[in-house]
């Protein structure tokens, strides 16, 4: 196999706002997307069309550069890119000259056959976070990963790859930060100094280009903002999808679905969502309902609606080969399925038996797919669960010569699930007529946040998975995916009652809160764990519902600036070494100011690290000084959860479903602090796109300890809050209370 280095610069030219540098081997194109984002694309096929599934922005920045005999220097107000000409190497600096990241001087970018790799200098204290759904530590230093979307039932705490590919990481060292997104959907590799004698980190792919976006913002939050500017942000989720979700493979009949839903109401355990896994279909044919067990979907949906429940139904990509089945007949007639190079349709086996697989990379196929959802939306379904879209097929080894249009499977595999989710989102959004669909996908690629929520696939009912799941959620948050869940309780195996309770407590603070389990496992509903445990589970789910005004406002941030709802402490406390300590690495902020410390089920105390500042335990208002680790009580009914001093958290009274009107009281909880703080409160109707036309309610709530006031700003938006009463609840203020007042759009000043 030949080994080819990038070589020496032969020419430097400018075309529009792109700098083009040629060597004998390759062409490098450099363009500026914003002062903090520079793209470098090194290719051996410069005539190929420039497309991306992830990126939704165009290069817009003006190209400013100086050329000498030895180098080219591109500068923006924030960044310097020094390009040495011979050999061609790229080095990034802040505008004031601090080195951020550079090619390894010897090897830089090179090829072995089609495989292209970029070797980079590894700094002694450099840390790495990101890459989304990857096992291992928060700090990925010393680990290596592959991106190749894989159906991996029973995955272990060291399995790689899993279901999703987010080739984006953030490097942190010596007070500096940078981000790097390799936009390449081929099988790709990231190595953070696993076996290079601490000299080099490297990344690359089996094929395609070293096509990366370099982010130079000097904060992790700023890099996430830039990355989600480039690849898009989520839109406001349907409020109901933030409630408690109950799933199982499978509730076997409409009656069973209704019975479970009714039991939630009877037991007064709040819940919003029931699921239908694959058995609601006739012979696993997508877009059908089982004629015996789900004979009258409309009646099912109506009854669920009467109980204030929504239904989510699963869809898989595999279309059963069966003449007379509409999606099969149409797909064959129109040529919508993946093929072998000779034009024969590829066959793979999944739940329905022998299947063909739609080519979701084609717009017409996505439109056709999207329209097929009428079979689900007409009876009233508003949530669509996209599974098996790595794509999965038994044997898990789809031949590399399978083609989607003119692309071989390996080139685009990592984006297949994303394109399925895109077709699902676009189709159901159109069908639902101004209502927000809820889309959930298992496989994903960078940018999927624009279309769908994700969950972390088939985890296992063990404590290790509880902790790993939290790291997966936190790492997905770094890579732009805010709306994330894990199967609470573990998909495979049976949790002990203690594990079920613990995991449910953590679910309260997981962006998507879904209990799900595999067929053959014990039933998982809250009442299956004994009376005492049921009461804890109920109390925790109630806590989720109380927090919904805070959670909804936190999702608003994800929509506005890309910051995730579940945040590794590395986002806010990037340079605090303890954050990366394996003992504390699972901790996270839920929204701006709630800190959660996951605890395994066999422990009833926990070592918790609290970063700088002062913290109150949520359950007791006990005050702690930050910058220290503590051993705290963690009985099964009290997960260690803390709030920052000065925090403002809006809460509501318990409702059984987000569809309930509630009593109109908004509680504003304030924990005494020394510094001025504020909270951006956001509300809208929770179900339509009217917020895009101004129908929302946005207010800034400010707490000023110096003047002892609480202020609600004049705000934006034409929506009238569903809350009519405001109750201020003080924590740490020595018994002071504040009278209820009326929440109106006018400015409110309350003296504390
Ligand atoms: C896959 C999914 C799982 C689902 C099952 C049956 O294993 O990951 O969530 O329940 O298929 O559809």
């Amino acid at each position: 196999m030949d080994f080819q280095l990038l070589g020496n610069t032969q020419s430097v030219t400018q075309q529009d706002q792109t700098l083009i540098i040629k060597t004998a081997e390759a062409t490098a194109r450099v363009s500026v997307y914003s002062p903090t984002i520079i793209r470098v694309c090194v290719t051996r096929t410069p005539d190929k069309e420039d497309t991306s599934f992830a990126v939704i922005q165009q290069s817009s920045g003006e190209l400013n550069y100086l050329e000498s005999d030895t180098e080219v220097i591109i500068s923006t107000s924030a960044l310097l890119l020094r390009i040495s000409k011979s050999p061609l190497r790229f080095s990034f600096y802040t505008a004031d000259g601090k080195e951020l990241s550079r090619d390894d001087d010897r090897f830089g970018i090179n090829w072995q056959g089609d495989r292209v790799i970029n070797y980079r200098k590894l700094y002694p204290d450099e840390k790495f976070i990101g890459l989304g759904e990857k096992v291992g530590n928060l700090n990925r230093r010393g680990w290596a990963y592959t991106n190749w979307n894989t159906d991996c039932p029973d995955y272990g705490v060291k399995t790689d790859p899993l279901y999703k590919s987010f080739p984006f990481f953030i490097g942190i060292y010596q007070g500096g930060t940078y981000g790097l997104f390799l936009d390449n959907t081929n099988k790709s590799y990231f190595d953070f100094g696993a076996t290079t004698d601490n000299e080099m980190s490297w990344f690359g792919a089996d094929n395609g280009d070293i096509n990366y976006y370099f982010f130079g913002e000097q904060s992790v939050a700023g890099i996430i903002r830039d990355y989600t500017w480039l690849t898009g942000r989520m839109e406001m989720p349907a409020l109901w999808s933030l409630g408690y979700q109950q799933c199982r493979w499978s509730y076997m009949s409409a009656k069973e679905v209704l019975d479970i839903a009714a039991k939630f109401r009877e037991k007064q355990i709040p819940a919003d969502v029931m699921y239908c896994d694959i058995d609601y279909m006739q012979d696993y044919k997508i877009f059908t309902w089982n004629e015996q067990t789900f004979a009258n979907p409309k009646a099912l949906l109506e009854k669920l609606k009467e109980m204030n429940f929504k239904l989510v139904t699963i869809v898989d990509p595999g279309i059963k080969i069966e003449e007379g089945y509409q999606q099969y007949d149409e797909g064959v007639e129109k040529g919508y399925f993946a093929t072998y190079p000779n034009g024969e349709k590829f066959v793979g086996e999944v739940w329905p038996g022998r299947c063909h697989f739609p080519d979701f990379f084609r717009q017409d196929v996505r439109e056709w797919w999207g329209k097929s959802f009428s079979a689900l939306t007409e009876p009233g379904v508003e949530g669509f669960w996209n599974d098996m879209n790595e794509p999965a097929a038994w044997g898990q080894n789809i031949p590399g010569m399978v083609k989607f249009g003119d692309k071989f499977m390996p080139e685009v595999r990592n984006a297949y699930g994303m394109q399925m989710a895109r077709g699902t989102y676009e189709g159901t959004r159109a069908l639902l007529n101004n209502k927000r669909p809820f889309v959930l996908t298992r496989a994903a690629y960078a940018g999927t946040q624009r279309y769908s929520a994700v969950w972390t696939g088939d985890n296992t009912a063990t404590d290790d998975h509880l902790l790993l799941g939290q790291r997966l959620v936190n790492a997905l948050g770094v890579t732009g995916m805010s709306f994330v869940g894990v199967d609470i309780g573990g998909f495979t195996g049976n949790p002990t009652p203690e594990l079920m309770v613990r995991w449910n407590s953590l679910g309260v603070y997981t962006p998507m809160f879904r209990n799900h389990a595999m067929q053959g496992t014990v039933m998982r509903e809250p009442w299956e764990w004994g009376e005492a445990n049921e009461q804890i589970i109920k109390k925790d789910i109630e806590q989720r519902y109380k927090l919904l005004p805070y959670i909804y406002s936190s999702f608003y941030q994800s929509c506005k600036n890309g910051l995730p709802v579940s945040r590794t402490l590395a986002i806010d406390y990037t340079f605090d070494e303890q954050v990366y300590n394996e003992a504390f690495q699972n901790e996270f902020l839920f929204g701006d100011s709630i800190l959660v410390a996951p605890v395994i089920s066999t422990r009833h105390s926990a070592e918790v690290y609290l970063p700088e500042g002062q913290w109150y335990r949520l359950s007791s208002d006990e005050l702690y000084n930050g910058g220290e680790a503590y051993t705290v009580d963690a009985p099964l009914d009290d997960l260690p959860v803390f709030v920052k001093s000065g925090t403002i958290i809006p809460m509501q009274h318990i409702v059984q479903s987000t569809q309930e009107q509630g009593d109109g009281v908004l509680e504003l909880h304030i924990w005494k602090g020394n510094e001025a703080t504020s909270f951006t409160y956001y509300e809208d109707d929770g179900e339509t796109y009217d917020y895009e036309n101004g129908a929302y309610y946005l207010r800034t709530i400010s707490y000023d300890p110096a003047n002892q006031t609480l202020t609600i700003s004049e705000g934006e938006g034409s929506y009238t809050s569903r809350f009519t009463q405001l109750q201020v609840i003080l924590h740490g203020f020595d018994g002071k209370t504040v009278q209820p007042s009326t929440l109106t759009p006018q400015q409110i000043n309350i003296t504390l």
Side-chain angles (χ1 to χ4, degrees):
M1 188 187 281
D2 58 329
F3 176 76
Q4 197 175 69
L5 287 162
L6 181 51
N8 296 334
T9 298
Q10 294 183 333
S11 68
V12 177
T13 53
Q14 183 178 350
Q15 204 179 68
D16 301 326
Q17 293 301 317
T18 303
L19 192 72
I20 299 175
I21 307 171
K22 291 202 160 140
T23 69
E25 316 300 347
T27 301
R29 284 198 223 101
V30 185
S31 43
V32 173
Y33 276 60
S34 82
T36 48
I37 309 174
I38 296 179
R39 177 184 180 191
V40 174
C41 181
V42 175
T43 181
R44 293 194 298 190
T45 51
D47 298 330
K48 195 183 52 189
E49 203 192 338
D50 185 24
T51 59
S52 171
F53 298 110
V55 172
I56 57 168
Q57 303 290 347
Q58 305 288 325
S59 100
S60 55
E62 208 178 294
L63 188 69
N64 254 315
Y65 72 99
L66 286 172
E67 189 185 349
S68 70
D69 287 347
T70 56
E71 64 176 356
V72 180
I73 302 180
I74 296 182
S75 58
T76 71
S77 56
L79 279 176
L80 287 181
L81 167 55
R82 300 180 78 120
I83 306 170
S84 81
K85 285 184 169 175
S86 297
L88 182 55
R89 300 279 181 265
F90 301 87
S91 309
F92 291 87
Y93 301 81
T94 59
D96 52 10
K98 180 181 162 51
E99 186 170 314
L100 291 175
S101 175
R102 61 185 299 158
D103 285 339
D104 179 81
D105 290 336
R106 300 155 302 172
F107 304 118
I109 293 170
N110 61 57
W111 290 262
Q112 279 179 279
D114 289 332
R115 194 185 217 215
V116 60
I117 303 289
N118 186 177
Y119 291 89
R120 300 177 81 87
K121 179 173 174 179
L122 181 61
Y123 302 91
D125 64 340
E126 194 171 14
K127 297 187 179 69
F128 300 89
I129 62 171
L131 278 199
E133 189 188 67
K134 292 291 177 197
V135 296
N137 290 333
L138 164 63
N139 178 7
R140 308 226 179 264
R141 175 81 184 231
W143 292 67
Y145 298 96
T146 301
N147 287 317
W148 181 249
N149 290 3
T150 302
D151 176 18
C152 41
D154 274 335
Y155 66 85
V157 293
K158 293 198 172 157
T159 304
D160 182 74
L162 300 179
Y163 307 89
K164 305 173 183 65
S165 296
F166 293 93
F168 167 63
F169 69 87
I170 294 174
I172 298 162
Y173 74 99
Q174 287 181 9
T177 57
Y178 69 89
L180 196 149
F181 167 46
L182 174 69
D183 192 10
N184 183 328
T185 53
N186 287 273
K187 186 184 265 192
S188 61
Y189 306 91
F190 285 79
D191 183 301
F192 300 106
T195 322
T196 57
D197 196 23
N198 278 316
E199 264 195 314
M200 293 182 286
S201 64
W202 54 272
F203 62 83
D206 273 354
N207 213 321
D209 306 326
I210 289 293
N211 171 28
Y212 68 79
Y213 296 79
F214 186 89
F215 300 90
E217 259 287 351
Q218 286 311 296
S219 75
V220 172
I223 292 170
I224 295 174
R225 207 177 304 124
D226 273 0
Y227 169 77
T228 55
W229 171 79
L230 189 75
T231 62
R233 296 178 181 135
M234 68 178 292
E235 48 182 49
M236 278 312 288
L239 180 60
W240 60 263
S241 65
L242 304 184
Y244 177 82
Q245 309 190 355
Q246 185 63 54
C247 188
R248 174 168 192 84
W249 173 19
S250 299
Y251 295 122
M252 295 303 289
S253 64
K255 179 171 182 315
E256 193 179 7
V257 173
L258 289 168
D259 286 349
I260 299 277
K263 197 143 179 182
F264 276 98
R265 296 297 176 247
E266 183 193 312
K267 290 191 164 277
Q268 299 254 295
I269 300 173
D272 265 80
V273 188
M274 289 297 299
Y275 273 70
C276 281
D277 204 327
I278 46 176
D279 295 284
Y280 78 92
M281 293 180 262
Q282 185 66 46
D283 304 323
Y284 305 127
K285 284 181 283 189
I286 313 305
F287 309 120
T288 67
W289 296 84
N290 186 296
E291 285 151 22
Q292 275 81 46
T293 49
F294 287 84
N296 190 344
K298 211 172 171 80
L300 166 65
L301 269 299
E302 266 160 23
K303 285 187 193 135
L304 283 172
K305 193 172 177 191
E306 279 164 24
M307 287 191 276
N308 284 332
F309 268 96
K310 299 281 182 181
L311 186 69
V312 176
T313 50
I314 198 168
V315 291
D316 294 342
I319 298 291
K320 186 175 176 64
I321 299 178
E322 184 185 284
E323 276 179 30
Y325 163 37
Q326 189 187 339
Q327 273 68 30
Y328 170 78
D329 290 344
E330 288 176 3
V332 170
E333 189 199 317
K334 304 246 170 66
Y336 284 166
F337 297 130
T339 61
Y340 284 117
N342 66 356
E344 279 174 47
K345 284 178 279 301
F346 164 67
V347 179
E349 278 197 48
V350 211
W351 307 120
R354 298 174 67 246
C355 287
H356 293 320
F357 294 81
D359 178 356
F360 291 116
F361 298 99
R362 282 169 55 180
Q363 166 103 20
D364 54 348
V365 177
R366 288 196 301 272
E367 279 171 11
W368 163 76
W369 172 259
K371 286 192 180 125
S372 303
F373 280 91
S374 60
L376 303 173
T377 55
E378 268 168 23
V381 179
E382 292 172 36
F384 312 94
W385 175 17
N386 289 209
D387 190 22
M388 308 293 276
N389 50 0
E390 292 69 32
W394 304 156
Q396 306 299 353
N397 205 21
I398 297 177
M401 66 175 173
V402 166
K403 295 190 85 174
F404 295 107
D406 61 353
K407 296 265 194 308
F408 286 105
M409 185 272 292
E411 294 172 62
V412 287
R413 177 182 178 89
N414 288 341
Y416 186 80
M418 175 196 198
Q419 295 309 300
M420 176 185 176
R422 176 183 178 187
T424 304
Y425 163 76
E426 286 169 353
T428 56
R429 178 168 175 173
L431 285 167
L432 287 179
N433 207 1
N434 197 34
K435 272 196 182 166
R436 302 174 206 169
F438 166 66
V439 180
L440 176 64
T441 178
R442 192 170 72 175
Y445 180 70
T448 300
Q449 65 271 14
R450 304 198 296 268
Y451 311 120
S452 182
V454 296
W455 93 106
T456 60
D458 298 348
N459 62 356
T460 302
T462 64
D463 281 310
D464 277 354
H465 268 271
L466 175 148
L467 297 178
L468 170 66
Q470 192 56 52
R471 290 201 298 288
L472 297 180
V473 170
N474 295 347
L476 281 160
V478 172
T479 49
M481 297 301 309
S482 181
F483 201 4
V484 183
V486 306
D487 287 353
I488 298 292
F491 177 73
T492 321
N494 293 317
T496 61
E498 291 75 23
L499 179 57
M500 187 67 240
V501 171
R502 254 308 183 240
W503 217 329
N504 185 70
S505 305
L506 194 54
V508 174
Y509 304 98
T510 304
M512 188 186 94
F513 187 7
R514 185 180 77 149
N515 172 313
H516 179 44
M518 186 173 166
Q519 68 174 4
T521 58
V522 299
M523 296 302 281
R524 286 289 174 79
E525 296 70 25
W527 46 86
E528 297 288 343
W529 307 96
E531 177 57 31
N533 290 327
E534 180 182 327
Q535 288 317 312
I536 305 175
I537 292 172
K538 175 175 164 152
K539 176 186 73 77
D540 280 337
I541 297 176
E542 287 174 349
Q543 171 75 351
R544 170 77 173 202
Y545 278 78
K546 287 188 202 162
L547 283 171
L548 278 175
Y550 170 80
I551 297 173
Y552 201 60
S553 297
S554 302
F555 270 99
Y556 174 72
Q557 286 191 33
S558 302
C559 303
K560 271 309 207 213
N561 57 27
L563 277 183
V565 171
S566 266
R567 298 177 198 166
T568 160
L569 298 185
I571 296 180
D572 284 55
Y573 306 98
T574 310
F575 299 104
D576 183 339
E577 288 293 320
Q578 291 294 4
V579 160
Y580 307 91
N581 183 327
E582 283 183 36
F584 308 125
Q585 63 174 349
N586 305 309
E587 292 179 21
F588 62 101
L589 290 185
F590 186 65
D592 279 334
S593 46
I594 298 182
L595 183 148
V596 182
V599 182
I600 58 172
S601 63
T602 50
R603 293 212 49 199
H604 294 144
S605 68
E607 278 72 54
V608 173
Y609 176 72
L610 297 172
E612 65 184 14
Q614 286 196 312
W615 299 83
Y616 292 86
R617 183 138 182 185
L618 183 60
S619 58
S620 66
D621 285 345
E622 191 179 344
L623 188 60
Y624 293 82
N625 285 319
E628 277 178 60
Y630 294 90
T631 302
V632 301
D633 286 344
L636 261 195
D637 61 354
D638 190 10
L639 188 71
V641 176
F642 299 83
V643 292
K644 252 187 242 173
S645 66
T647 285
I648 303 163
I649 297 186
M651 295 192 206
Q652 65 183 11
H653 290 163
I654 296 167
V655 284
Q656 295 303 308
S657 155
T658 63
Q659 306 295 299
E660 257 179 37
Q661 187 55 37
D663 63 4
V665 177
L666 186 72
E667 292 181 349
L668 278 186
H669 290 255
I670 301 171
W671 282 264
K672 191 174 182 182
N674 302 321
E675 280 165 35
T677 55
S678 67
F679 182 82
T680 304
Y681 178 83
Y682 178 86
E683 199 188 324
D684 60 24
D685 66 19
E687 61 172 6
T688 73
Y689 285 95
D690 291 352
Y691 72 91
E692 289 182 343
N693 302 317
Y696 58 88
Y697 179 93
L698 185 70
R699 299 290 183 273
T700 304
I701 307 172
S702 310
Y703 164 49
D704 177 0
N707 296 310
Q708 296 194 315
T709 55
L710 180 72
T711 313
I712 300 183
S713 73
E714 280 283 344
E716 278 176 38
S718 60
Y719 184 74
T720 307
S721 170
R722 70 176 183 283
F723 297 104
T724 49
Q725 267 217 334
L726 181 68
Q727 223 164 20
V728 178
I729 299 180
L730 303 176
H731 300 263
F733 286 80
D734 303 327
K736 271 195 178 178
T737 54
V738 173
Q739 291 307 308
S741 94
T742 309
L743 184 70
T744 64
Q746 302 92 277
Q747 188 153 359
I748 290 185
N749 279 304
I750 299 172
T751 306
L752 300 171

